[in-house]
Amino acid sequence: MNVYLLAISFCLVFIFISVELIRRQKLQEQYAILWLLLGFIMALFSLFPSLLDQLSTKLHIHYAPSLLFLVGLLFSLAFIMHLTLVISKLHRKLTRLVQEVALLQEQLRRGGPQ
């Protein structure tokens, strides 16, 4: 089997899984956009490998597939940073919520609002 056909098949399956996760509401749209974008970029480079060669030549990268690794690494780092920010924000909200619940429980224990 041709490696490009295998890559295109993988990209189509990847895009289908992403769409299915969105449809089942297991993946939020804001994250799905990133995954769909990655799937379409991979499909584009699989359908037209000359684009990868041209881009790597313009960027003075001698081995074209290493450009894909670089793009994948940068995508992963950016996505990890984004998720870290989301987790930090949720952690702050959770701490605030726990504090408010503790205050309300204390008010109820003492006999209501004062």
Side-chain angles (χ1 to χ4, degrees), residues 12-99:
L12 292 176
V13 168
F14 184 80
I15 291 169
F16 174 77
I17 289 172
S18 298
V19 169
E20 189 62 23
L21 288 172
I22 295 167
R23 192 182 69 75
R24 292 183 183 187
Q25 297 179 347
K26 300 218 180 246
L27 183 62
Q28 290 182 354
E29 292 82 7
Q30 66 188 46
Y31 302 117
I33 291 171
L34 294 172
W35 291 117
L36 290 173
L37 181 65
L38 179 66
F40 285 121
I41 289 172
M42 290 179 353
L44 182 70
F45 283 134
S46 298
L47 286 171
F48 307 105
S50 61
L51 288 175
L52 182 63
D53 291 330
Q54 291 173 3
L55 186 58
S56 62
T57 302
K58 288 180 183 179
L59 294 173
H60 302 290
I61 297 175
H62 300 289
Y63 184 59
S66 64
L67 176 61
L68 289 178
F69 286 109
L70 176 64
V71 169
L73 176 68
L74 294 176
F75 176 82
S76 298
L77 289 174
F79 198 63
I80 289 169
M81 178 61 78
H82 173 72
L83 290 178
T84 303
L85 292 171
V86 169
I87 289 170
S88 297
K89 182 179 177 183
L90 289 174
H91 186 267
R92 283 192 302 274
K93 285 183 175 182
L94 180 63
T95 301
R96 172 91 179 176
L97 183 63
V98 168
Q99 290 170 347

